[in-house]
Amino acid sequence: DVKVTQSSRYLVKRTGEKVFLECVQDMDHENMFWYRQDPGLGLRLIYFSYDVKMKEKGDIPEGYSVSREKKERFSLILESASTNQTSMYLCASSLGTGSNQPQHFGDGTRLSIL
Amino acid sequence: AQSVTQLDSHVSVSEGTPVLLRCNYSSSYSPSLFWYVQHPNKGLQLLLKYTSAATLVKGINGFEAEFKKSETSFHLTKPSAHMSDAAEYFCVVRVVGTASKLTFGTGTRLQVTL
């Protein structure tokens, strides 16, 4: 079974802090994704990566950056946290480039910015 | 652009009665469609996927969905609801021109009562 592990389930940070969210997958997947989930809005893609050191902007990249130095790890960085970044953050991974490859999700990090 | 619309934000059924969660899609091409489920404080789990093979797709936990091109619909059904089915359900379409990007609906919360 695919395992996608997010380092924290709950996180509380202060406005202006630099925040790191970590995600690790154990199935040698090429693709990794970061989403945020807000009530009534579903999931929105922040960034994704299809290979080590490669990244592409998703639909809402403003205020975020990412890092993928190793294939199994994909980090989301909030450069200067703001209260409107309080949300549930979900990491996912998928195999290769086939269109029928599903994404496998971690359990999420609930981030509160005070 | 591809999109999905989940027609109900909240559905309530009694245990043992049928479940119907409605989803319409918009796509210029033959789409790849998915249903995911999210239980409280958990990540998303793939229920089933449609990728232009059989139009009736069977998934896990007794769920199935039928792809109807003439109606641009991909509704999720289950003959008999169980208490453990209470969760949020997301209809998802793969973005054409990308191998892996997905667009999520806003979700339908399923409540199952005794």
Side-chain angles (χ1 to χ4, degrees), chain B:
Chain B
Q2 293 72 47
S3 65
V4 289
T5 302
Q6 293 184 243
L7 301 170
D8 306 291
S9 60
H10 184 263
V11 170
S12 182
V13 301
S14 300
E15 190 175 33
T17 64
V19 176
L20 170 64
L21 305 183
R22 299 183 295 164
C23 173
N24 287 349
Y25 70 89
S26 171
S27 177
S28 304
Y29 304 90
S30 182
S32 294
L33 294 159
F34 307 80
W35 275 98
Y36 280 83
V37 61
Q38 184 180 33
H39 288 93
N41 297 315
K42 287 289 191 180
L44 277 70
Q45 179 185 17
L46 179 69
L47 273 179
L48 50 81
K49 61 184 180 186
Y50 166 77
T51 54
S52 75
T55 56
L56 182 62
V57 183
K58 294 190 184 298
I60 62 172
N61 301 335
F63 284 94
E64 61 183 37
E66 187 171 7
F67 174 75
K68 291 187 176 180
K69 187 174 181 179
S70 60
E71 299 176 9
T72 61
S73 69
F74 189 57
H75 301 335
L76 182 70
T77 60
K78 184 174 181 178
S80 176
H82 191 273
M83 294 297 289
S84 61
D85 294 328
E88 187 146 24
Y89 292 79
F90 292 94
C91 183
V92 183
V93 64
R94 182 182 68 86
V95 177
V96 171
T98 75
S100 304
K101 283 182 65 176
L102 303 176
T103 295
F104 287 75
T106 53
T108 298
R109 182 161 299 279
L110 176 65
Q111 181 182 14
V112 182
T113 58
L114 289 172

Side-chain angles (χ1 to χ4, degrees), chain A:
Chain A
D1 253 7
V2 178
K3 183 78 172 168
V4 179
T5 303
Q6 294 184 231
S7 55
S8 304
R9 292 299 308 275
Y10 301 93
L11 207 53
V12 180
K13 296 291 182 180
R14 296 203 175 276
T15 303
E17 279 192 69
K18 190 169 186 176
V19 180
F20 294 85
L21 303 183
E22 305 289 344
C23 175
V24 176
Q25 49 94 4
D26 67 355
M27 285 300 292
D28 204 34
H29 284 174
E30 287 82 3
N31 305 316
M32 296 189 75
F33 308 82
W34 274 107
Y35 296 89
R36 63 176 284 176
Q37 181 180 16
D38 300 288
L41 297 178
L43 273 72
R44 293 178 292 167
L45 182 64
I46 303 172
Y47 267 97
F48 68 103
S49 168
Y50 51 88
D51 203 351
V52 175
K53 297 191 185 295
M54 305 301 287
K55 61 184 179 183
E56 286 199 27
K57 293 180 180 179
D59 300 317
I60 52 164
E62 295 79 19
Y64 303 94
S65 63
V66 290
S67 172
R68 193 162 180 204
E69 296 296 320
K70 294 184 178 181
K71 191 175 186 179
E72 67 271 18
R73 185 180 297 271
F74 192 36
S75 303
L76 179 69
I77 304 156
L78 284 65
E79 298 291 344
S80 177
S82 64
T83 55
N84 63 11
Q85 292 178 309
T86 291
S87 187
M88 169 72 94
Y89 289 87
L90 290 164
C91 175
S93 71
S94 70
L95 179 66
T97 58
S99 64
N100 60 351
Q101 295 296 333
Q103 292 185 14
H104 300 267
F105 285 82
D107 285 342
T109 296
R110 190 166 293 282
L111 175 64
S112 296
I113 307 296
L114 305 179

